[in-house]
Amino acid sequence: MTDATRPLVSVLVPCWNSGGSIERALDSVLEEDGLALECVVVDDGSTDNTLDVVRAVAVRDPRVVVLALPDNQGVSNARNRGLELVRGDWLTLLDADDRFLPGGLGTLAAAALDGGAAAVIGQQVWWNGRRRWRTPQYDVEDIRQPGRKSLATSPGLLYFVSPHAKLLHRDCWQGLEFHGRVLGDQPWIIRALLRAGDRIEVLGDTVYEWYRPSASVASTSITATTRASVRRGVEAVGVAAQALGSVREEAARHLDAAAAERVAASYAERLLHSDLSAHVGRALDRADPHIDLLFDAIREFIAGLPASYVTASDALARNVLEPPLRRWNRVGDAGRTAYWRLLEAAAATDPDLARHGSNRFARLGLRLASGGRSGGRLAAARALLLVARFVALARRAVRVAVRAAARA
C-alpha cells in the first residue's frame, strides 16, 4: 500500500439490526469529500436488512469496507474485529444509530493535522428524535472548555469517555481491546487518552449527535439494549471493577504515583456517579424484584476499592445510597435487606459517610439511616431525603431561571 492510497482517517462502525438508521450514519461520514478516509462497517450478525443496506452503500462508495460476522457476539467483539482491518493513522468510532454533524468529522481531522495532538475531542449533543440537549454531568469545564489537556490535569474528561466525537492516533490505541457488552468502551478510551499524555486537544465545536431514545420508543441501540435489566446492571458492576483495574495499571505506566491514583480515584467516582447509579435508578423505576442482586454487586465493588476512594466519594452517598431510601416503596423485602447490607458496609469503611449527602437534609437522613434499621429512624430518614430532593429541585430551577435571565 502506498501513502497515496492509504487513508488518513478510519471510521469504525459496529452495527446490529440497525436497518432503519445505518444509512444515515454512514452518509454523515461519506459526505466528507475532502478527507482521505475509510469507513469500516462490522455487522454483528444482524437479522434485519442492515447488511443489505450497508452493502448497497459500499457498492456506490468504495471507501466503505464491510465485514459480516456470522452471529451476534456483542459490540466489543465487533469493534475488535474492525480494529484488525482499519488502516488509517487516525481512528474514530461511530454507532449505527448516531451521526456526525455536517462538517464534524472534518473538524476533528483538521485539528489532528494541525500538529502536536495525539487525541482530539469534539463536543457532542444528545438527540431522542425530537429534541437535542446536553446532560448536566457533561456540562463541565474540563469537557466544554477548549484547549490542550491531559487526564491528570483535567479529570473531568473522565465524564466523557464514550468513544464518540473523538479522533485518536494509532499510537494511542494500538494493542488495546474492547471487553464486555456493557462499559466495554470506557477503559479502552481512558487507556488511549492516558497514552496521549498532555497532547489531548479539546475543541469547542459540536461534531457528534448521540441518539438516546425516549423510554416510550422501542430501540435496539447499543445504549438501550445494555441498560435494560438488573442482570445487565450486575454485569456492569463486574465490568466496572475490571475496568477500574485496567485503568489503574495503565495510569501507573504513564504517570507518577500520586497522579495515577488521582486519575483512578476520579474514574471510580465517575463509575459510581454515572454508571452504577444509573442502573440503580432504572431498577427503582421498574420496582425490579431482583434489585437485591444489584445492591449486593455494588457492595462487592465498594469492598474492592481502596478505602481512600470510598472516604473521598460524594457519589456513593448522593447517587447510590440516597435514591433507594427516598423511593423505599419501590424496593421489595429482599432488596431492602440487601440495601442495609450495602449501607452498613459503606458506613464501616467511612463512619462519617453522611457528610457526603447532597444537602443538610440528606446528610441528616443518611446519618439516621446509618444508625440502625428501626422503623422510626427509617421513616424520619425517608422524610428528610424527600425534603432534600425538593430543595435540590428548587435550587436547580432557580439556577436555570438565573441563566435564562442572564441570556435575555
Side-chain angles (χ1 to χ4, degrees):
M1 184 190 308
T2 66
D3 289 341
T5 59
R6 179 172 180 161
L8 176 68
V9 172
S10 295
V11 182
L12 176 55
V13 188
C15 57
W16 178 69
N17 287 356
S18 305
S21 63
I22 184 65
E23 187 167 11
R24 174 177 176 270
L26 298 182
D27 285 346
S28 75
V29 173
L30 301 175
E31 70 179 9
E32 296 287 352
D33 292 332
L35 183 61
L37 65 83
E38 66 175 356
C39 187
V40 177
V41 184
V42 183
D43 181 77
D44 193 25
S46 292
T47 57
D48 67 352
N49 66 332
T50 300
L51 190 55
D52 292 336
V53 173
V54 172
R55 283 172 169 161
V57 174
V59 167
R60 67 174 185 261
D61 196 317
R63 293 176 295 174
V64 177
V65 178
V66 184
L67 173 63
L69 302 181
D71 50 62
N72 179 259
Q73 297 185 43
V75 64
S76 288
N77 178 70
R79 286 170 172 160
N80 289 335
R81 294 294 303 275
L83 290 177
E84 298 171 1
L85 298 180
V86 298
R87 300 174 296 155
D89 290 332
W90 293 86
L91 172 71
T92 188
L93 291 97
L94 172 67
D95 286 348
D97 47 1
D98 300 342
R99 67 167 181 144
F100 283 101
L101 293 175
L105 182 55
T107 297
L108 291 175
L113 296 177
D114 196 36
V120 181
I121 301 176
Q123 305 296 314
Q124 72 173 11
V125 290
W126 283 252
W127 179 67
N128 65 1
R130 298 188 304 276
R131 69 181 185 91
R132 294 181 176 88
W133 75 95
R134 287 189 173 93
T135 65
Q137 73 179 44
Y138 170 82
D139 198 15
V140 299
E141 183 176 355
D142 286 346
I143 298 171
R144 302 281 285 136
Q145 184 66 37
R148 188 63 62 90
K149 307 185 182 186
S150 72
L151 286 185
T153 59
S154 302
L157 289 173
L158 290 166
Y159 286 85
F160 187 21
V161 289
S162 67
H164 314 125
K166 299 173 181 67
L167 195 59
L168 303 168
H169 193 271
R170 181 176 288 270
D171 290 343
C172 295
W173 60 264
Q174 190 81 53
L176 296 180
E177 290 186 347
F178 293 92
H179 296 282
R181 289 178 179 263
V182 290
L183 299 184
D185 48 10
Q186 288 187 14
W188 193 94
I189 290 293
I190 295 171
R191 293 176 68 187
L193 293 179
L194 283 167
R195 293 178 179 188
D198 59 0
R199 295 184 296 150
I200 301 173
E201 187 71 30
V202 175
L203 307 180
D205 304 83
T206 301
V207 301
Y208 194 95
E209 184 181 79
W210 189 18
Y211 181 55
R212 296 296 298 273
S214 60
S216 61
V217 177
S219 175
T220 59
S221 75
I222 291 169
T223 298
T225 55
T226 58
R227 294 186 173 182
S229 68
V230 159
R231 181 177 63 83
R232 288 292 196 202
V234 171
E235 181 183 354
V237 178
V239 173
Q242 297 169 17
L244 178 59
S246 69
V247 167
R248 290 185 75 186
E249 292 175 2
E250 192 75 41
R253 284 193 285 269
H254 299 283
L255 304 171
D256 63 66
E261 278 302 286
R262 285 197 303 272
V263 169
S266 296
Y267 182 44
E269 183 74 349
R270 180 250 146 81
L271 288 166
L272 290 166
H273 179 280
S274 301
D275 301 296
L276 306 191
S277 67
H279 286 285
V280 171
R282 275 183 282 273
L284 291 170
D285 290 342
R286 296 189 301 268
D288 199 299
H290 303 297
I291 197 172
D292 59 303
L293 302 177
L294 183 58
F295 289 151
D296 283 339
I298 294 174
R299 177 170 54 85
E300 292 178 7
F301 175 78
I302 297 301
L305 296 178
S308 60
Y309 293 12
V310 178
T311 56
S313 176
D314 289 331
L316 177 58
R318 299 176 184 182
N319 303 96
V320 176
L321 295 174
E322 287 183 21
L325 275 178
R326 193 168 59 240
R327 305 175 67 185
W328 199 242
N329 62 313
R330 309 291 292 176
V331 183
D333 290 342
R336 293 179 179 187
T337 300
Y339 175 83
W340 289 120
R341 289 195 294 265
L342 170 60
L343 178 60
E344 290 164 359
T349 303
D350 183 5
D352 198 17
L353 174 73
R355 77 187 186 281
H356 294 289
S358 53
N359 57 40
R360 60 192 179 96
F361 298 103
R363 289 190 285 274
L364 182 54
L366 284 172
R367 190 162 284 113
L368 282 170
S370 300
R373 303 188 185 187
S374 71
R377 281 180 172 273
L378 175 60
R382 289 187 62 201
L384 285 164
L385 284 162
L386 286 171
V387 172
R389 180 62 172 169
F390 288 133
V391 169
L393 291 173
R395 288 175 176 171
R396 184 182 302 172
V398 169
R399 288 196 297 269
V400 170
V402 168
R403 285 198 296 265
R407 290 195 297 266

mmCIF file of all heavy atoms in Angstrom, residues 38-64:
data_model
loop_
_atom_site.group_PDB
_atom_site.id
_atom_site.type_symbol
_atom_site.label_atom_id
_atom_site.label_comp_id
_atom_site.label_asym_id
_atom_site.label_seq_id
_atom_site.Cartn_x
_atom_site.Cartn_y
_atom_site.Cartn_z
ATOM 1 N N GLU A 38 -11.541 5.934 5.235
ATOM 2 C CA GLU A 38 -12.229 4.682 5.002
ATOM 3 C C GLU A 38 -13.265 4.513 6.102
ATOM 4 O O GLU A 38 -13.110 5.035 7.212
ATOM 5 C CB GLU A 38 -11.260 3.496 5.019
ATOM 6 C CG GLU A 38 -10.640 3.254 6.385
ATOM 7 C CD GLU A 38 -9.769 2.009 6.438
ATOM 8 O OE1 GLU A 38 -9.689 1.281 5.428
ATOM 9 O OE2 GLU A 38 -9.153 1.775 7.501
ATOM 10 N N CYS A 39 -14.326 3.790 5.796
ATOM 11 C CA CYS A 39 -15.384 3.535 6.764
ATOM 12 C C CYS A 39 -15.545 2.015 6.881
ATOM 13 O O CYS A 39 -16.052 1.368 5.965
ATOM 14 C CB CYS A 39 -16.683 4.199 6.320
ATOM 15 S SG CYS A 39 -18.006 4.116 7.531
ATOM 16 N N VAL A 40 -15.070 1.471 7.994
ATOM 17 C CA VAL A 40 -15.111 0.030 8.217
ATOM 18 C C VAL A 40 -16.373 -0.298 9.008
ATOM 19 O O VAL A 40 -16.516 0.103 10.160
ATOM 20 C CB VAL A 40 -13.864 -0.450 8.967
ATOM 21 C CG1 VAL A 40 -13.961 -1.945 9.262
ATOM 22 C CG2 VAL A 40 -12.603 -0.136 8.164
ATOM 23 N N VAL A 41 -17.289 -1.034 8.383
ATOM 24 C CA VAL A 41 -18.565 -1.385 8.999
ATOM 25 C C VAL A 41 -18.540 -2.867 9.361
ATOM 26 O O VAL A 41 -18.292 -3.718 8.495
ATOM 27 C CB VAL A 41 -19.743 -1.091 8.055
ATOM 28 C CG1 VAL A 41 -21.073 -1.378 8.758
ATOM 29 C CG2 VAL A 41 -19.697 0.360 7.580
ATOM 30 N N VAL A 42 -18.794 -3.165 10.625
ATOM 31 C CA VAL A 42 -18.820 -4.553 11.093
ATOM 32 C C VAL A 42 -20.244 -4.899 11.490
ATOM 33 O O VAL A 42 -20.770 -4.368 12.477
ATOM 34 C CB VAL A 42 -17.862 -4.767 12.283
ATOM 35 C CG1 VAL A 42 -17.865 -6.243 12.697
ATOM 36 C CG2 VAL A 42 -16.455 -4.301 11.936
ATOM 37 N N ASP A 43 -20.883 -5.762 10.697
ATOM 38 C CA ASP A 43 -22.237 -6.205 11.029
ATOM 39 C C ASP A 43 -22.163 -7.395 11.979
ATOM 40 O O ASP A 43 -21.584 -8.428 11.655
ATOM 41 C CB ASP A 43 -23.000 -6.588 9.763
ATOM 42 C CG ASP A 43 -24.418 -7.027 10.095
ATOM 43 O OD1 ASP A 43 -25.259 -6.157 10.366
ATOM 44 O OD2 ASP A 43 -24.654 -8.257 10.115
ATOM 45 N N ASP A 44 -22.786 -7.243 13.140
ATOM 46 C CA ASP A 44 -22.672 -8.234 14.209
ATOM 47 C C ASP A 44 -23.826 -9.233 14.166
ATOM 48 O O ASP A 44 -24.577 -9.394 15.118
ATOM 49 C CB ASP A 44 -22.620 -7.512 15.559
ATOM 50 C CG ASP A 44 -22.193 -8.426 16.693
ATOM 51 O OD1 ASP A 44 -21.508 -9.427 16.419
ATOM 52 O OD2 ASP A 44 -22.542 -8.122 17.855
ATOM 53 N N GLY A 45 -23.967 -9.900 13.013
ATOM 54 C CA GLY A 45 -24.988 -10.932 12.883
ATOM 55 C C GLY A 45 -26.402 -10.402 12.864
ATOM 56 O O GLY A 45 -27.313 -11.019 13.442
ATOM 57 N N SER A 46 -26.635 -9.285 12.173
ATOM 58 C CA SER A 46 -27.983 -8.709 12.104
ATOM 59 C C SER A 46 -28.967 -9.688 11.490
ATOM 60 O O SER A 46 -28.631 -10.464 10.585
ATOM 61 C CB SER A 46 -27.972 -7.420 11.278
ATOM 62 O OG SER A 46 -27.253 -6.389 11.927
ATOM 63 N N THR A 47 -30.219 -9.610 11.964
ATOM 64 C CA THR A 47 -31.289 -10.447 11.416
ATOM 65 C C THR A 47 -32.301 -9.628 10.628
ATOM 66 O O THR A 47 -33.296 -10.172 10.156
ATOM 67 C CB THR A 47 -32.012 -11.202 12.550
ATOM 68 O OG1 THR A 47 -32.514 -10.260 13.507
ATOM 69 C CG2 THR A 47 -31.057 -12.167 13.247
ATOM 70 N N ASP A 48 -32.041 -8.327 10.485
ATOM 71 C CA ASP A 48 -32.917 -7.487 9.660
ATOM 72 C C ASP A 48 -32.176 -7.173 8.355
ATOM 73 O O ASP A 48 -31.337 -7.946 7.907
ATOM 74 C CB ASP A 48 -33.337 -6.230 10.428
ATOM 75 C CG ASP A 48 -32.162 -5.286 10.698
ATOM 76 O OD1 ASP A 48 -31.003 -5.674 10.416
ATOM 77 O OD2 ASP A 48 -32.404 -4.168 11.189
ATOM 78 N N ASN A 49 -32.462 -6.027 7.756
ATOM 79 C CA ASN A 49 -31.858 -5.692 6.454
ATOM 80 C C ASN A 49 -30.597 -4.846 6.578
ATOM 81 O O ASN A 49 -30.155 -4.241 5.594
ATOM 82 C CB ASN A 49 -32.884 -4.958 5.594
ATOM 83 C CG ASN A 49 -33.255 -3.590 6.147
ATOM 84 O OD1 ASN A 49 -33.188 -3.374 7.366
ATOM 85 N ND2 ASN A 49 -33.668 -2.682 5.285
ATOM 86 N N THR A 50 -30.013 -4.778 7.760
ATOM 87 C CA THR A 50 -28.840 -3.926 7.954
ATOM 88 C C THR A 50 -27.740 -4.237 6.946
ATOM 89 O O THR A 50 -27.193 -3.331 6.303
ATOM 90 C CB THR A 50 -28.284 -4.089 9.381
ATOM 91 O OG1 THR A 50 -29.288 -3.706 10.321
ATOM 92 C CG2 THR A 50 -27.051 -3.230 9.584
ATOM 93 N N LEU A 51 -27.401 -5.493 6.809
ATOM 94 C CA LEU A 51 -26.289 -5.867 5.936
ATOM 95 C C LEU A 51 -26.579 -5.511 4.483
ATOM 96 O O LEU A 51 -25.680 -5.060 3.750
ATOM 97 C CB LEU A 51 -25.993 -7.356 6.086
ATOM 98 C CG LEU A 51 -24.714 -7.878 5.428
ATOM 99 C CD1 LEU A 51 -23.491 -7.089 5.893
ATOM 100 C CD2 LEU A 51 -24.535 -9.360 5.727
ATOM 101 N N ASP A 52 -27.826 -5.679 4.053
ATOM 102 C CA ASP A 52 -28.193 -5.304 2.681
ATOM 103 C C ASP A 52 -28.000 -3.809 2.457
ATOM 104 O O ASP A 52 -27.488 -3.387 1.418
ATOM 105 C CB ASP A 52 -29.653 -5.683 2.402
ATOM 106 C CG ASP A 52 -29.877 -7.184 2.364
ATOM 107 O OD1 ASP A 52 -28.913 -7.916 2.093
ATOM 108 O OD2 ASP A 52 -31.021 -7.614 2.637
ATOM 109 N N VAL A 53 -28.401 -3.009 3.448
ATOM 110 C CA VAL A 53 -28.255 -1.557 3.324
ATOM 111 C C VAL A 53 -26.780 -1.183 3.239
ATOM 112 O O VAL A 53 -26.368 -0.381 2.389
ATOM 113 C CB VAL A 53 -28.934 -0.845 4.509
ATOM 114 C CG1 VAL A 53 -28.642 0.650 4.468
ATOM 115 C CG2 VAL A 53 -30.431 -1.088 4.506
ATOM 116 N N VAL A 54 -25.970 -1.761 4.102
ATOM 117 C CA VAL A 54 -24.540 -1.429 4.132
ATOM 118 C C VAL A 54 -23.865 -1.841 2.829
ATOM 119 O O VAL A 54 -23.051 -1.086 2.266
ATOM 120 C CB VAL A 54 -23.860 -2.112 5.331
ATOM 121 C CG1 VAL A 54 -22.350 -1.929 5.270
ATOM 122 C CG2 VAL A 54 -24.415 -1.553 6.642
ATOM 123 N N ARG A 55 -24.190 -3.013 2.327
ATOM 124 C CA ARG A 55 -23.573 -3.456 1.076
ATOM 125 C C ARG A 55 -23.980 -2.582 -0.093
ATOM 126 O O ARG A 55 -23.177 -2.330 -1.001
ATOM 127 C CB ARG A 55 -23.934 -4.920 0.822
ATOM 128 C CG ARG A 55 -23.125 -5.884 1.689
ATOM 129 C CD ARG A 55 -23.599 -7.316 1.578
ATOM 130 N NE ARG A 55 -22.646 -8.236 2.224
ATOM 131 C CZ ARG A 55 -22.946 -9.469 2.597
ATOM 132 N NH1 ARG A 55 -24.172 -9.958 2.379
ATOM 133 N NH2 ARG A 55 -22.038 -10.226 3.175
ATOM 134 N N ALA A 56 -25.214 -2.096 -0.079
ATOM 135 C CA ALA A 56 -25.652 -1.197 -1.144
ATOM 136 C C ALA A 56 -24.869 0.114 -1.098
ATOM 137 O O ALA A 56 -24.486 0.661 -2.150
ATOM 138 C CB ALA A 56 -27.150 -0.927 -1.010
ATOM 139 N N VAL A 57 -24.607 0.629 0.106
ATOM 140 C CA VAL A 57 -23.800 1.842 0.238
ATOM 141 C C VAL A 57 -22.377 1.572 -0.247
ATOM 142 O O VAL A 57 -21.768 2.409 -0.929
ATOM 143 C CB VAL A 57 -23.799 2.335 1.695
ATOM 144 C CG1 VAL A 57 -22.832 3.510 1.866
ATOM 145 C CG2 VAL A 57 -25.197 2.742 2.139
ATOM 146 N N ALA A 58 -21.830 0.411 0.088
ATOM 147 C CA ALA A 58 -20.465 0.077 -0.309
ATOM 148 C C ALA A 58 -20.325 -0.030 -1.825
ATOM 149 O O ALA A 58 -19.264 0.280 -2.375
ATOM 150 C CB ALA A 58 -20.041 -1.232 0.350
ATOM 151 N N VAL A 59 -21.386 -0.462 -2.511
ATOM 152 C CA VAL A 59 -21.338 -0.566 -3.969
ATOM 153 C C VAL A 59 -21.154 0.812 -4.593
ATOM 154 O O VAL A 59 -20.394 0.971 -5.557
ATOM 155 C CB VAL A 59 -22.619 -1.243 -4.498
ATOM 156 C CG1 VAL A 59 -22.737 -1.065 -6.008
ATOM 157 C CG2 VAL A 59 -22.622 -2.720 -4.130
ATOM 158 N N ARG A 60 -21.814 1.798 -4.042
ATOM 159 C CA ARG A 60 -21.718 3.134 -4.643
ATOM 160 C C ARG A 60 -20.576 3.973 -4.078
ATOM 161 O O ARG A 60 -20.263 5.037 -4.631
ATOM 162 C CB ARG A 60 -23.038 3.880 -4.476
ATOM 163 C CG ARG A 60 -23.430 4.250 -3.073
ATOM 164 C CD ARG A 60 -24.697 5.118 -3.080
ATOM 165 N NE ARG A 60 -25.060 5.608 -1.783
ATOM 166 C CZ ARG A 60 -25.983 5.086 -0.993
ATOM 167 N NH1 ARG A 60 -26.660 4.002 -1.415
ATOM 168 N NH2 ARG A 60 -26.255 5.610 0.186
ATOM 169 N N ASP A 61 -19.939 3.513 -2.986
ATOM 170 C CA ASP A 61 -18.823 4.276 -2.404
ATOM 171 C C ASP A 61 -17.741 3.300 -1.939
ATOM 172 O O ASP A 61 -17.908 2.621 -0.919
ATOM 173 C CB ASP A 61 -19.293 5.127 -1.223
ATOM 174 C CG ASP A 61 -18.278 6.205 -0.854
ATOM 175 O OD1 ASP A 61 -17.064 5.891 -0.832
ATOM 176 O OD2 ASP A 61 -18.684 7.344 -0.567
ATOM 177 N N PRO A 62 -16.632 3.223 -2.667
ATOM 178 C CA PRO A 62 -15.588 2.230 -2.352
ATOM 179 C C PRO A 62 -14.862 2.516 -1.047
ATOM 180 O O PRO A 62 -14.047 1.686 -0.605
ATOM 181 C CB PRO A 62 -14.641 2.331 -3.555
ATOM 182 C CG PRO A 62 -14.860 3.702 -4.108
ATOM 183 C CD PRO A 62 -16.305 4.008 -3.880
ATOM 184 N N ARG A 63 -15.122 3.632 -0.423
ATOM 185 C CA ARG A 63 -14.487 3.918 0.871
ATOM 186 C C ARG A 63 -15.087 3.078 1.992
ATOM 187 O O ARG A 63 -14.524 3.012 3.084
ATOM 188 C CB ARG A 63 -14.628 5.402 1.215
ATOM 189 C CG ARG A 63 -13.854 6.329 0.283
ATOM 190 C CD ARG A 63 -14.114 7.788 0.623
ATOM 191 N NE ARG A 63 -15.511 8.157 0.387
ATOM 192 C CZ ARG A 63 -16.033 9.347 0.708
ATOM 193 N NH1 ARG A 63 -15.274 10.263 1.299
ATOM 194 N NH2 ARG A 63 -17.306 9.604 0.438
ATOM 195 N N VAL A 64 -16.205 2.418 1.722
ATOM 196 C CA VAL A 64 -16.866 1.582 2.729
ATOM 197 C C VAL A 64 -16.340 0.156 2.633
ATOM 198 O O VAL A 64 -16.375 -0.467 1.572
ATOM 199 C CB VAL A 64 -18.395 1.606 2.549
ATOM 200 C CG1 VAL A 64 -19.067 0.664 3.552
ATOM 201 C CG2 VAL A 64 -18.924 3.026 2.723
#
